[in-house]
Structures are given as C-alpha cells and as structure tokens.
Amino acid sequence: MKRAILLSLCALLIVLSLGCQHGSRSIKRLDPAIEAQIDSLLARMTLEEKAGQMSQKSRLGEDGSGDIETEIREGRIGSFLNLQDVKARNKLQRIAVEESRLGIPLIFGLDVIHGQRTVFPVPLGEAASWDLDLMEKTAAVSAREARAMGIDWTFSPMVDIARDPRWGRIVEGAGEDPYLGSLIARAKVRGYQGRDLAAPDTIAACLKHYAVYGASQAGRDYHTTEVPMRIVRDVYLPPFQAGVEEGAATLMSGFNDLNGIPTSGHSFLLTDVLRGQWGFDGFVVSDWRSVKQMIPHGFAEDQAHAAALGASAGVDMEMVSRTYLDHLPDLVRRRVVLRQVLDTAVRRILHVKYRLGLFDNPYVNENLQEAVLLAPAHRDLARQAVRESLVLLKNQNNLLPLSRDLKSVALIGPLAQARRDLIGTWAPAAEDGDVVTLLDGLKKALGETCRVHYAKGCQTEGDSTDGFAEALEAAGRSELIILAVGESESHNGEAHSRTELGLPGPQLQLVREIHKIGKPVVMVLFAGRPLTINWEMEHIPAILLAWHPGIEGGNGIADVLLGDYNPAGKITVTFPRSVGQIPIYYNEKNTGRPIREEDRFTSKYIDSPNTPLLPFGYGLSYTTFEYGNLKVETPNVEIPGTVKVSADITNTGGRAGHEVVQLYVRDLVGSVTRPVKELKGFERIYLEPGQTKTVRFEIPTDALRFWDINMEFNVEPGDFHIWIGPHSAEGLQGHFRLTN
Ligand code: GLC
C-alpha cells in the first residue's frame, strides 16, 4: 500500500506538472466544437467506460473473458488490432457507434510495417536506398491499402536504433545511425499520415518501441537494456523526437526495462521527455501485454499495481492485457490513481479518433479495396523499391551485370523459388501468390535465348546435403551459376535472435561445393540483418544483397542482375566479421589507446582486425565514382552559424548511375568524449558517364549539438574534421573550427 500512496503522489506531481505546462505544451487543441464534444463525452463517461477507451483487444488475444460484441456494446473496448476483414470491422464499428451508450467509435490497428497487400522490401532493406522520397511513397501506398482494408492505425515506423545484428528485430528498423534514422522516421510519418488523417487514404502512425529496445542485452529479444542516459539522448531518442516533430499521432512503449525501469512504466520518458520536453499531443499505446509484464519484470506487485504504474507514467492505452479495464476504476475510487490521469489519457485517444474522422465517418467503403489493393502503380513502386534497396557488395572483374549472350544459367539455392521468404517478417496482409520469385523474374528477364536450370540444393535449416548432387548437375550444364541463399523469413523479426550470423543450415557447404566447380558464380543474398559472410566475400566473385525484398523481389533483382538498373544501395548497419566483434558500429569512440598495429597495448583483438567486414554506408555500383576537390568554404564558423563544404563527384565508369554521397564530421575535443565519425548529411545523386557534379552541404552548427558534461544539449566550440565520401570508412578529409 505504501508504494500505492507514493504512486498517487507521483501521479499528482505528473498531472500538476502537465497542468502547468498545459499552457505551453497543451494537447493541440482541435477546433472548439470538437473540444466541446470531447469535454461533454468525458463528463458523461463512467470510470469503466474511460478504462474501456484505454483498452485494446486483439482478435488473436485470448485475454479476458466475455463476448467481444458484448464488450464493445458495454464500452469496454476502445480499440481493436489484427482484424483484417473490412466487413467484420464495420460490423464491430456499428455496434460501438450505434449500440453502445455513448457511441464512441473504435480505432483499428495493425502492423503495416513494410506494405499492406503490396509488400515492399523490409525496412532495413528499404533504408539501404537512402531515398527518403521513395520511403515516403511506399508508406503512402501502405496507408492507402490499409485504410481501404479498414485499418485506421499502423504500428509503424519502428524507429529503434540497432547496433546488434543478433537481435532479430534489426530488420524492422533503419539501422544504426540516429541522423539517417531520424530522417526516415519523418518520411514514414509523412507518408502514412499525409496532410489529413481524416482522408480515406491515410492512417495514424505509431513510433515504436519507445525506447531503447534495440539495445537489448546480447541481442537477445526482450532482454534488459542498460544504456547511459547520454547515449539514450544522443543515439536512441532522436528518431522518436523527429517523428513527434513530424506530427506522429501515436507512440508505442516497449517491453524492455531501461536502466531498471520498464519502458511501459517509465514516467521520465513517457511524461517528462515525451510530453514535457517534446510537446507530444497524441497517445501512447503499450506493446503486447507490456503493462502486465511489469509484474515479471519485478516492478509491479500485481495487475492493479501494473495498471497504476502504466497509466500514471503515461501509457494511455493498454494492448491486449486487461489490467486497465479490471483495475483502473477501482484505483481511482480508492484515490490510488487520480481521475485526471484517466481523463487525460481518454482525451488524447479521442483526439486521435476525431483527427482520423472516425466520429464523422466511422465506416469504411467496403468496395474500395478492390481498386486499391495491388494496383499496378503500387506494384511498379514495389519493383522500384527493390531495385533501390539492393546492395552490390562485390563485383570482381565486373562479372555483373550478366551478359545477354548467356545461353544457360543455373539458379541454385533454397530461396530461388521462395515466396514467403521474399515477403519477409511482419506482413500480415501479404499473399504468397502475389510474389514474383527470383526464378520467375530471372526466366522472364533472360527470355527464350537462355536456359535456366533450377535446383534447390538444400534447405535453409538442418544439415541435409541430399540436394547437392542435383545442384551440381544443374551447375555442370550451365555457363554461370546464380546462388539464391541466405536467411528465410523465419530467421528474422520478433523473438528471432541468433547467436551465429552465418548462412543458416548447410548453405555455406552448398556454396563451397558450387565454387569448386570453377565456373563464374553470382550470389544473391537474402537476409534481414548483417551476416558474417567472410568466406563468401573472399571467394565468390559477385554478391548482391537483396534483403527480403517483398512481392516484386524477382523482378527487381533480375533488373539489377541484367543491368536494367544500376544498383546504388548502401548498408545502413555495419556488417561484422564475427559475432565476437558485436556491438560494432561506425560512430564509436576513439578510446585513449586507439589501435596501432605496432603497439600491442592499444585497443584491439589478438585474433581479429577491429574493422568490420563491411562498413556503414558501403555499397558498390556498376560504374565507378571519383571524389575530388573538397572545399571547406567556411574554415571558421561562429556559433550559431553554418558550415559550408563541397566536393566534386565524377562518374569515371561506363554506366550512368546513382551515388549516395555522405558527409561525416568528428568533434575532436568535447566536454565528453565524442564519436570518431557522425553522419551529418547525404545526397543521392545521378551521374552520366564522365559527368561531374559539385555536391554542397550546409550544416547548421545546431546540427552539431550533443548532450554535454552537464547533460545539456549544446554545441561546443573547437576543431572538427569533416569528410565527404562513399561510405563511413573512406572520404576526402577537411577541417573547420567553431568559435563562440
Ligand atoms: C508485438 C510487437 C509490436 C507489435 C505489437 C502488435 O509484440 O512488439 O512491435 O506492433 O506486438 O502486433
């Protein structure tokens, strides 16, 4: 009981602090008529109905007894997730609107993570395009298709920074960099929400998982996260803040405990930072039962305590578990939780429902989806997204693109005819039949003049080599071999952490056997994370990283293999040589003993280089680019000011192509130690053969702020290095100085 009283005091403090901030950081007022309607509803709602609005039920969740329709009629459900039948959706909505006491509409949510029916590359793959306009467009198409299927709200974008590829969910995010991750978060929010949430082709976005879930210890999902608050601020929070600034309607709290406090009960993050400092005016939904899971965390004594902790900390809606519904009314009556806590949460939820137009148009036109799902323009966009997401990791002697004079090609590997594996994780509305497999795409692209001999070779699991003979036979009949290997869809995503990061199953054995034949070999690598493909990088002449490319995978990959599209993708997460190097990321600290080969007593391993297999920002092209003429136009800049720097990039090869020009800085001396490099700009340019373009960057000194020794967000005077180059491990170096 002691904790409960303490709790109500801290709830009171939270509410008072919010109250006094209401003037400056109030929930964005809708038009007065709507505000009046919300006030009127709140005044009439019982505590049970308020707890109902704060409760989300899943079609899949077995939590709670009682018939769904009865619960809706009684106002005990405010939201639904995982329902993908527009008729069923309208039926439940009709009960809520026409049969419940107050007629408050439900909000329907789903994980629309990388497409709805038109499935795009997984987010880590799409991020490799560095094409923000493309990523906004794919989000907009996802929204259009989802809304037509009766979904009002997606639990996306996942903006967790991840530096550990053992973590299966690294596939769902934009990689390791806060600057790029922040820009992608903005693009996704814009794409999903458009200009008007009430439009029939927009949906509410949800920034998740707030926060620091990507730092799960040892890459093991749901594990503890222990991260100094300065790193939380500098690395993990920026994409959330960017998404909030872009107007995201909702956030989702996480499963993880951050420095001892579960993020679904973390009032500093959920109220002080999110509301108090960033002025977020939407609502926060918990993750799946993450409120109730504060009990096994050892943070809540029981469900009533979990409900009080979650609601008072700032989780407005509980996903699937029922602690709010079962306990909040009583907790308010016993004055353990303030009534104001519920009123604030319900107001936030009703705000989003109004902004979505659910009060005026609660039902979805059931004929809309016919014309919207898989529209030709959506498929075209999906194919373009595949092309731009592919990363050329190696191309010895320009083996790629394939010659159109080939008469026979062997396509070998367990992913050559894969469908669900090309779709990838988190695609609840995807249909296998929509997928263009690599075999299909290749046959179509190669046409009648080239025979394609297909053999599966092996599975992505187990150790059977039974299929090797057939594969070797197919290879024997072919001029060139294309391998389709990598991770299957079930190797990635939630609850799919791995301790080894090589090709799963007997695939590497198959690759080595094929390599022994001595014919040209191209490897198409499907993956949802960095893999430790050391042997492959050393022995296979050409490697194209295809991620899990979505339904247009076969076509997009064939376009690149045959040179109809010149690849320009660049990885947004470091590829380690071994699991032993993890965590490894480009924006590391220098240490007091930076590695010197000749000096044993410096920061290094005795059995491995420090460098990764592939650095952040790496990716090749079928042409070559030369960087020259770096100019630091402002060698001395007063704070506040703008650093101006440029470089010339020339296409020195024989093909036109895109190049993602990257700009990095290093703050040489700070009141705290600073990273050896930080991405602070990039531009995706297109150059014809022989063409030179001057790329100019203007970096406001504000962009060089960090959380300093006093935990204040400042930019400090001093010397900086600056690089413009093709990736984080290479570039033309310059220098500038900031002065106060
Ligand atoms: C899952 C995931 C979360 C997802 C939610 C609803 O457990 O952690 O990302 O949005 O449940 O499916």
Side-chain angles (χ1 to χ4, degrees):
M1 205 43 202
K2 191 163 38 54
R3 281 195 73 177
I5 293 166
L6 188 65
L7 198 80
S8 60
L9 284 177
C10 79
L12 181 62
L13 288 174
I14 288 168
V15 170
L16 291 177
S17 72
L18 272 183
C20 71
Q21 285 159 347
H22 252 287
S24 60
R25 299 204 183 271
S26 69
I27 298 176
K28 196 180 291 157
R29 312 297 289 171
L30 292 170
D31 79 65
I34 292 180
E35 287 301 331
Q37 286 183 43
I38 291 179
D39 293 339
S40 152
L41 276 172
L42 275 172
R44 287 183 285 150
M45 290 172 83
T46 65
L47 288 172
E48 283 68 21
E49 286 166 332
K50 290 175 183 175
Q53 281 302 308
M54 297 168 70
S55 300
Q56 180 182 62
K57 190 159 180 75
S58 167
R59 186 180 58 78
L60 307 174
E62 71 288 350
D63 292 69
S65 57
D67 160 64
I68 287 177
E69 295 187 8
T70 307
E71 289 199 310
I72 293 171
R73 209 167 278 120
E74 290 170 353
R76 293 164 56 80
I77 298 176
S79 172
F80 224 80
L81 80 150
N82 292 336
L83 183 65
Q84 294 192 68
D85 174 333
V86 68
K87 288 187 176 8
R89 177 248 199 249
N90 281 342
K91 179 169 178 265
L92 295 182
Q93 188 71 300
R94 196 156 278 112
I95 294 169
V97 170
E98 299 172 20
E99 299 176 26
S100 75
R101 191 173 78 85
L102 294 169
I104 299 173
L106 299 166
I107 177 173
F108 292 82
L110 183 72
D111 291 283
V112 186
I113 307 297
H114 53 111
Q116 178 67 351
R117 180 69 188 277
T118 300
V119 180
F120 301 104
V122 289
L124 192 62
E126 197 181 61
S129 72
W130 296 60
D131 184 342
L132 301 174
D133 182 51
L134 170 83
M135 290 185 257
E136 182 173 338
K137 283 178 181 154
T138 59
V141 165
S142 305
R144 191 170 308 129
E145 294 194 352
R147 200 80 190 255
M149 287 181 74
I151 304 301
D152 312 303
W153 173 30
T154 177
F155 305 124
S156 177
M158 186 271 223
V159 298
D160 299 312
I161 295 293
R163 295 171 152 177
D164 189 332
R166 293 171 294 184
W167 189 50
R169 305 198 75 166
I170 196 169
V171 66
E172 298 174 46
E176 72 192 44
D177 183 72
Y179 173 84
L180 178 61
S182 299
L183 291 173
I184 291 175
R186 289 178 183 275
K188 286 298 178 187
V189 169
R190 287 195 303 270
Y192 287 133
Q193 300 192 166
R195 297 186 184 291
D196 173 11
L197 272 184
D201 60 357
T202 61
I203 52 178
C206 181
L207 303 164
K208 71 183 186 183
H209 305 78
Y210 188 61
V212 199
Y213 181 23
S216 292
Q217 190 170 290
R220 202 178 83 202
D221 207 354
Y222 314 122
H223 206 341
T224 305
T225 54
E226 294 285 352
V227 180
M229 198 40 75
R230 174 170 292 109
I231 303 295
V232 171
R233 289 283 197 174
D234 277 337
V235 175
Y236 293 92
L237 292 189
F240 287 97
Q241 185 172 2
V244 165
E245 288 171 359
E246 203 64 37
T250 72
L251 266 81
M252 180 186 293
S253 64
F255 292 123
N256 55 306
D257 67 321
L258 174 60
N259 304 334
I261 300 173
T263 52
S264 293
H266 206 295
S267 59
F268 174 71
L269 285 180
L270 292 162
T271 297
D272 299 0
V273 174
L274 183 59
R275 311 282 179 179
Q277 295 168 17
W278 299 350
F280 176 60
D281 62 6
F283 73 82
V284 174
V285 64
S286 78
D287 203 338
W288 190 281
R289 298 201 187 98
S290 63
V291 168
K292 188 173 166 185
Q293 285 159 11
M294 286 194 278
I295 300 169
H297 266 300
F299 193 69
E301 287 154 11
D302 53 29
Q303 292 201 30
H305 190 197
L309 287 168
S312 303
V315 174
D316 305 303
M317 183 184 284
E318 180 178 16
M319 181 185 285
V320 174
S321 46
R322 316 281 283 171
T323 70
Y324 283 15
L325 201 64
D326 297 344
H327 299 282
L328 281 183
D330 181 44
L331 288 163
V332 170
R333 290 190 186 96
R334 291 192 291 118
R335 298 185 184 289
V336 174
V337 171
L338 293 168
R339 179 185 298 271
Q340 170 79 15
V341 167
L342 274 65
D343 289 352
T344 301
V346 173
R347 179 182 295 279
R348 290 164 176 164
I349 293 165
L350 296 183
H351 256 257
V352 173
K353 290 185 173 182
Y354 268 106
R355 286 172 59 197
L356 278 164
L358 293 175
F359 280 88
D360 296 333
N361 301 299
Y363 309 117
V364 172
N365 172 348
E366 295 173 9
N367 306 315
L368 203 54
Q369 56 186 352
E370 191 60 38
V372 168
L373 302 188
L374 281 180
H378 296 180
R379 262 199 185 274
D380 292 346
L381 183 64
R383 184 167 183 163
Q384 183 59 21
V386 176
R387 289 174 179 152
E388 295 193 28
S389 68
L390 302 180
V391 185
L392 185 60
L393 301 183
K394 184 178 175 187
N395 192 23
Q396 204 168 30
N397 305 323
N398 294 320
L399 177 58
L400 288 174
L402 300 177
S403 159
R404 293 222 179 246
D405 299 334
L406 279 167
K407 294 290 176 279
S408 63
V409 161
L411 176 62
I412 293 169
L415 298 172
Q417 269 200 315
R419 292 178 179 278
R420 182 51 57 170
D421 297 325
L422 266 61
I423 287 170
T425 189
W426 283 118
E431 310 240 352
D432 290 10
D434 296 339
V435 172
V436 178
T437 67
L438 181 54
L439 182 58
D440 295 343
L442 212 49
K443 278 183 170 173
K444 201 175 357 168
L446 287 168
E448 297 307 316
T449 57
C450 179
R451 288 290 307 276
V452 178
H453 304 294
Y454 161 66
K456 187 169 185 175
C458 67
Q459 304 289 347
T460 59
E461 299 283 351
D463 55 11
S464 165
T465 59
D466 295 352
F468 281 25
E470 183 197 10
L472 291 167
E473 194 276 329
R477 285 187 284 141
S478 308
E479 297 168 70
L480 174 141
I481 297 111
I482 298 171
L483 290 167
V485 294
E487 290 186 312
S488 65
E489 173 264 337
S490 62
H491 285 108
N492 297 126
E494 184 174 353
H496 284 88
S497 296
R498 292 180 65 193
T499 58
E500 293 301 335
L501 297 178
L503 293 182
Q507 295 183 89
L508 180 53
Q509 282 173 265
L510 176 66
V511 172
R512 296 172 83 121
E513 288 305 315
I514 295 294
H515 174 259
K516 281 178 190 166
I517 296 172
K519 290 182 177 179
V521 179
V522 171
M523 173 189 276
V524 177
L525 178 67
F526 295 92
R529 68 174 98 213
L531 296 177
T532 49
I533 49 170
N534 299 280
W535 188 90
E536 300 87 330
M537 279 297 291
E538 189 179 339
H539 295 90
I540 303 299
I543 300 178
L544 182 66
L545 174 59
W547 308 104
H548 289 141
I551 62 170
E552 278 292 319
N555 284 333
I557 295 168
D559 291 340
V560 166
L561 289 178
L562 288 159
D564 293 338
Y565 186 82
N566 183 0
K570 304 226 175 188
I571 55 178
T572 64
V573 62
T574 300
F575 276 50
R577 296 174 189 277
S578 68
V579 170
Q581 286 185 303
I582 295 169
I584 180 172
Y585 44 90
Y586 86 93
N587 44 357
E588 63 177 10
K589 298 296 187 68
N590 199 40
T591 80
R593 291 194 175 194
I595 183 170
R596 287 184 23 218
E597 288 311 332
E598 67 281 11
D599 182 346
R600 228 183 87 200
F601 298 98
T602 57
S603 182
K604 59 186 175 187
Y605 303 99
I606 59 170
D607 58 359
S608 165
N610 284 6
T611 53
L613 180 63
L614 298 168
F616 173 87
Y618 172 89
L620 301 176
S621 166
Y622 289 152
T623 189
T624 50
F625 298 100
E626 193 173 282
Y627 285 67
N629 193 21
L630 178 77
K631 276 190 194 145
V632 179
E633 297 162 26
T634 55
N636 295 293
V637 178
E638 262 194 40
I639 300 168
T642 305
V643 179
K644 297 174 183 170
V645 60
S646 66
D648 294 345
I649 292 87
T650 302
N651 181 339
T652 49
R655 274 175 181 272
H658 289 89
E659 169 71 342
V660 179
V661 178
Q662 300 156 47
L663 178 139
Y664 296 87
V665 301
R666 177 182 179 181
D667 184 351
L668 294 175
V669 178
S671 58
V672 293
T673 54
R674 311 284 298 115
V676 295
K677 271 188 184 174
E678 294 177 278
L679 180 73
K680 291 295 178 188
F682 65 88
E683 189 174 331
R684 190 170 184 274
I685 63 172
Y686 184 77
L687 292 175
E688 294 294 342
Q691 185 186 358
T692 294
K693 195 176 268 187
T694 299
V695 176
R696 290 188 79 249
F697 292 98
E698 294 197 354
I699 311 294
T701 50
D702 259 6
L704 303 172
R705 287 181 295 177
F706 62 96
W707 289 80
D708 67 15
I709 190 71
N710 303 313
M711 278 306 281
E712 288 165 0
F713 193 44
N714 281 321
V715 54
E716 295 177 351
D719 290 311
F720 287 73
H721 285 159
I722 193 161
W723 294 265
I724 294 181
H727 55 73
S728 60
E730 203 179 298
L732 301 174
Q733 180 174 330
H735 169 274
F736 66 87
R737 175 168 297 166
L738 296 190
T739 53
N740 268 328

